[in-house]
Amino acid sequence: MSDTDQPLNEVIKPRLGVSACTIGEKVRFDGGHKQSEFLLKELAQWVTFVPFCPEVKAGLGVPRPAIRLASIDGQLRVIGSKKADLDVTDALVFASDELVEQASDLTGFVFCAKSPSCGMERVKVYLQSGDPLAQTQSGIFADKLMKCYPAMPCEETGRLNDQLLRESFLCRLFSYARWQTICQNGLTAAMLLDFHQRHKMLLMAHSERHYRQAGPMLSDLKAQPLTELAERYIQLVMDGLRVVATRKKHTNVLMHLQGYFKKNLEKVDKSALTEMILRYQQGLLPLTAPLEMLKHHLRHYPDSYLQLQYYFQPYPEALRVQSVI
Ligand code: SF4
């Protein structure tokens, strides 16, 4: 199936890797969990969770002594928070390598924040004496996974409470799921171009810079092997979608879309659409208001390019982040 054959409202279920404790599994050092409301109450029905716990995989048991990152003789180690002579670095590195290999078919990953194994960023690093350093970094497993699969959409639970970051993650997750589907069907040059066509406005809403780079990248599909080009292309798209889409950027895209109707719409309808976009820009309306009006006009004046744009529905409607954008 080519990307063009996928209707906008067809939802592909991403395989979402998660730190097991974030979906309620009692695998933390104290036998508890760190359940995320967003994951369990909102996202669960739209994805298939694939839980990972690197510390359990490393054989550290539940419950187990708390551990933390430490800089010892210039090397990053994982030691006991209370027992500095407990060093579990080798077991954790080995387990993480195995889990990273098993993650190759995932669409994305949500990590548990602050963990020395799963934290995506800003995990504290200590001296052996227990004094904290200014330096922070990613947890051992998270670091390996993100380096092995740089295009894979990753986030951590705390950051997903930020509406703009959540919106960016959902766009990346479901776009990457669509990408995986066409790759599984045997990527062709035509499929790559279809995918690009359908994600143009979405990419523009997040990062005009990446949008402007993506087109030229695909201008000569014979200049290099398709698989290499595809790898560079999807990395660029995922980097672009990681940039948050603000009201200002959405307004630019909405104005751009409005231009497609300039020949068809009556003056009064054109003014109403412009006014709605401006009211959205001022924060008086949610994004869905001008989007619904554009969709309404699209039903009356069909345009094959616009009708295929995932900008209108980048991920399931029920997940739409309303409050900020
Ligand atoms: S290692 Fe990761 S999954 Fe396991 S308890 Fe710690 S944060 Fe949760």
Side-chain angles (χ1 to χ4, degrees):
M1 181 170 68
S2 82
D3 196 36
T4 313
D5 297 330
Q6 286 174 1
L8 278 188
N9 56 6
E10 185 201 342
V11 176
I12 298 166
K13 226 176 181 188
R15 280 173 58 78
L16 182 62
V18 287
S19 297
C21 58
T22 64
I23 55 164
E25 293 191 11
K26 294 181 173 172
V27 289
R28 295 195 76 217
F29 72 97
D30 58 1
H33 60 70
K34 213 139 189 225
Q35 191 169 301
S36 153
E37 296 264 299
F38 168 63
L39 289 184
L40 285 180
K41 292 206 172 140
E42 295 183 57
L43 200 53
Q45 64 171 305
W46 303 104
V47 301
T48 302
F49 289 132
V50 186
F52 289 69
C53 179
E55 291 176 24
V56 167
K57 175 80 176 169
L60 303 186
V62 183
R64 56 184 174 272
I67 52 176
R68 63 187 177 196
L69 298 180
S71 177
I72 298 173
D73 299 330
Q75 285 202 324
L76 190 69
R77 308 293 299 178
V78 190
I79 63 171
S81 301
K82 295 207 171 121
K83 293 200 289 178
D85 58 341
L86 172 71
D87 188 323
V88 299
T89 314
D90 294 344
L92 199 54
V93 165
F94 188 72
S96 296
D97 283 337
E98 282 199 351
L99 290 180
V100 165
E101 251 180 63
Q102 291 166 21
S104 62
D105 66 343
L106 296 181
T107 312
F109 207 101
V110 175
F111 297 107
C112 179
K114 298 179 185 163
S115 154
S117 307
C118 291
M120 195 177 91
E121 58 176 32
R122 291 197 295 263
V123 180
K124 281 189 183 158
V125 182
Y126 296 81
L127 289 170
Q128 197 165 18
S129 63
D131 293 329
L133 292 170
Q135 163 200 357
T136 61
Q137 77 141 70
S138 310
I140 300 290
F141 168 65
D143 188 56
K144 283 178 177 287
L145 188 116
M146 290 188 293
K147 280 184 179 145
C148 189
Y149 308 110
M152 186 186 284
C154 291
E155 256 311 340
E156 62 178 18
T157 43
R159 284 166 51 94
L160 285 172
N161 293 327
D162 179 305
Q163 304 285 288
L164 286 175
L165 296 179
R166 180 185 296 187
E167 201 272 342
S168 158
F169 177 67
L170 291 174
C171 282
R172 283 184 283 141
L173 183 67
F174 285 90
S175 298
Y176 199 61
R178 293 188 284 271
W179 174 256
Q180 285 180 317
T181 301
I182 62 167
C183 288
Q184 280 156 12
N185 291 327
L187 183 72
T188 62
M191 285 174 174
L192 176 54
L193 289 175
D194 281 344
F195 181 91
H196 178 60
Q197 284 288 95
R198 301 190 69 177
H199 289 81
K200 268 184 175 177
M201 293 300 113
L202 183 62
L203 186 56
M204 191 196 242
H206 283 260
S207 169
E208 189 156 351
R209 180 170 70 85
H210 290 85
Y211 164 78
R212 292 199 179 283
Q213 287 173 2
M217 187 184 269
L218 303 182
S219 61
D220 185 1
L221 293 173
K222 294 200 173 118
Q224 60 185 303
L226 188 63
T227 47
E228 280 174 31
L229 177 61
E231 207 171 301
R232 284 201 303 124
Y233 169 77
I234 195 61
Q235 184 68 58
L236 180 82
V237 171
M238 289 297 125
D239 289 347
L241 294 180
R242 190 175 293 128
V243 182
V244 294
T246 58
R247 268 184 197 268
K248 192 173 169 215
K249 289 191 250 180
H250 276 299
T251 301
N252 284 342
V253 173
L254 293 167
M255 291 292 190
H256 182 80
L257 294 175
Q258 184 187 27
Y260 281 84
F261 297 102
K262 68 177 175 226
K263 283 193 195 137
N264 297 322
L265 289 187
E266 300 288 337
K267 202 172 168 196
V268 63
D269 290 330
K270 253 189 247 176
S271 305
L273 180 55
T274 305
E275 193 187 334
M276 191 169 268
I277 294 173
L278 292 177
R279 291 186 71 206
Y280 159 72
Q281 183 185 29
Q282 291 157 14
L284 301 172
L285 290 173
L287 181 60
T288 44
L291 277 183
E292 285 306 315
M293 194 179 253
L294 279 165
K295 282 195 239 175
H296 168 79
H297 291 319
L298 203 46
R299 279 191 289 274
H300 284 88
Y301 307 106
D303 180 286
S304 57
Y305 172 67
L306 288 195
Q307 280 166 319
L308 290 174
Q309 289 304 311
Y310 279 112
Y311 178 69
F312 288 107
Q313 195 172 321
Y315 47 80
E317 197 66 31
L319 289 169
R320 190 172 276 283
V321 179
Q322 300 277 7
S323 59
V324 178
I325 52 166

